[in-house]
Each structure stands twice: as structure tokens, then as C-alpha cells.
């Protein structure tokens, strides 16, 4: 784990750190081709400089966010924002279903919207995959 991400996880409460560490391990194991870094103050994974998935601490939970998640057609993921993002929120590590997460990560590779160029395209998203 990169030191900047370790620092992020370590800055959480014990329960939230456990959630962040498990999310990191599952994501990193399943997105081996992705680059990860702290982006906009939280851990995010990228494929070809396009954000795919990340997690962040919110007031009452840890949010797992898939930038193209609305296109996954997964009931458990909730729409987030006005683009194509979808999220899952966790308050306890036992809520993380590894099989669901692995399936979503697989879809995040196959289904991508071009967030890398969203500013250049003045807010217009184009589907990459």
C-alpha cells in the first residue's frame, strides 16, 4: 500500500480504518492494471488516467464510489450525482460483500465513461467501453 493511502486509512477511526483497509485490499487485488493515488483527498484507482473507483470517509459512513456505476445495473449501488457515478456506503466491515465488490470491479473495467476529458468536453460524458 502506498504510504499516502496508508496515512489516509490510518487517520480514520478504528472501525472505519478496518473498512478502508478491506476495501483497499479487495480493490487492489482485483484492479491489478490500475494506478492508485490520493485524488481530491481520498484513495482513487485509475485506468488510463480515468477514475474508476475510490473510497472516502463521510460523516456517518465510508463511501465506495464507482464513477461509471450507474451503468452497472446493480440494485445495491445507489446513484450519486448528476453524471454516471454510483455508490455503496458502509458503517461496519461486516457489510462488505466481497463477491458483490469483485463483480462491480469487473464491471468497472468493462464499463467506463470518459471522466478524464469531462472538463475539456464541457461536462459531456462519452462512453469509452
Amino acid at each position: 500500500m502506498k504510504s499516502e493511502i496508508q496515512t489516509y486509512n490510518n487517520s480514520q477511526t478504528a472501525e472505519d480504518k478496518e473498512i478502508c483497509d478491506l476495501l483497499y485490499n479487495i480493490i487492489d487485488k482485483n484492479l491489478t492494471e490500475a494506478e492508485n493515488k490520493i485524488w481530491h483527498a481520498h484513495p482513487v484507482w485509475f485506468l488510463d488516467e480515468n477514475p474508476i473507483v475510490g473510497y472516502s470517509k463521510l460523516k456517518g459512513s465510508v463511501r465506495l464510489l464507482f464513477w461509471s456505476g450507474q451503468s452497472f445495473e446493480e440494485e445495491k449501488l445507489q446513484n450519486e450525482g448528476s453524471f454516471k457515478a454510483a455508490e455503496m456506503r458502509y458503517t461496519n466491515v461486516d457489510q462488505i460483500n466481497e463477491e458483490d465488490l469483485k463483480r462491480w470491479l469487473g464491471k468497472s473495467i468493462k464499463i467506463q465513461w470518459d471522466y478524464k476529458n469531462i472538463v475539456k468536453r464541457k461536462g459531456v460524458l462519452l462512453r469509452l467501453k
Side-chain angles (χ1 to χ4, degrees):
M1 185 181 300
K2 290 183 178 177
S3 62
E4 61 185 1
I5 294 176
Q6 187 69 65
T7 299
Y8 178 90
N9 288 3
N10 289 345
S11 72
Q12 309 306 320
T13 64
E15 190 168 54
D16 289 340
K17 179 186 182 312
E18 195 175 1
I19 293 168
C20 290
D21 286 346
L22 182 56
L23 289 174
Y24 176 90
N25 289 329
I26 295 170
I27 295 168
D28 202 59
K29 183 170 61 174
N30 288 277
L31 289 182
T32 57
E33 302 298 315
E35 172 195 1
N36 61 51
K37 62 184 177 182
I38 297 293
W39 190 57
H40 296 286
H42 62 274
V44 176
W45 280 254
F46 296 81
L47 290 173
D48 298 321
E49 300 178 34
N50 198 43
I52 301 300
V53 64
Y55 57 85
S56 59
K57 174 63 180 135
L58 301 178
K59 186 174 182 180
S61 62
V62 174
R63 174 176 61 187
L64 175 68
L65 183 75
F66 289 94
W67 269 257
S68 300
Q70 288 183 26
S71 298
F72 296 178
E73 297 181 1
E74 291 279 346
E75 288 183 22
K76 291 182 182 178
L77 292 175
Q78 301 300 308
N79 292 353
E80 167 58 31
S82 58
F83 292 107
K84 300 292 183 186
E87 68 177 10
M88 183 72 178
R89 295 187 183 196
Y90 302 102
T91 56
N92 185 290
V93 73
D94 295 333
Q95 295 170 332
I96 298 172
N97 180 310
E98 188 168 350
E99 292 308 310
D100 285 345
L101 184 47
K102 285 179 183 179
R103 186 176 62 256
W104 300 337
L105 291 167
K107 288 183 177 187
S108 75
I109 295 168
K110 295 175 184 167
I111 301 169
Q112 292 181 37
W113 289 84
D114 187 9
Y115 282 92
K116 177 174 72 171
N117 296 304
I118 195 170
V119 173
K120 189 185 330 180
R121 290 197 179 101
K122 298 182 169 94
V124 175
L125 271 179
L126 298 178
R127 183 134 180 201
L128 293 173
K129 297 181 180 184

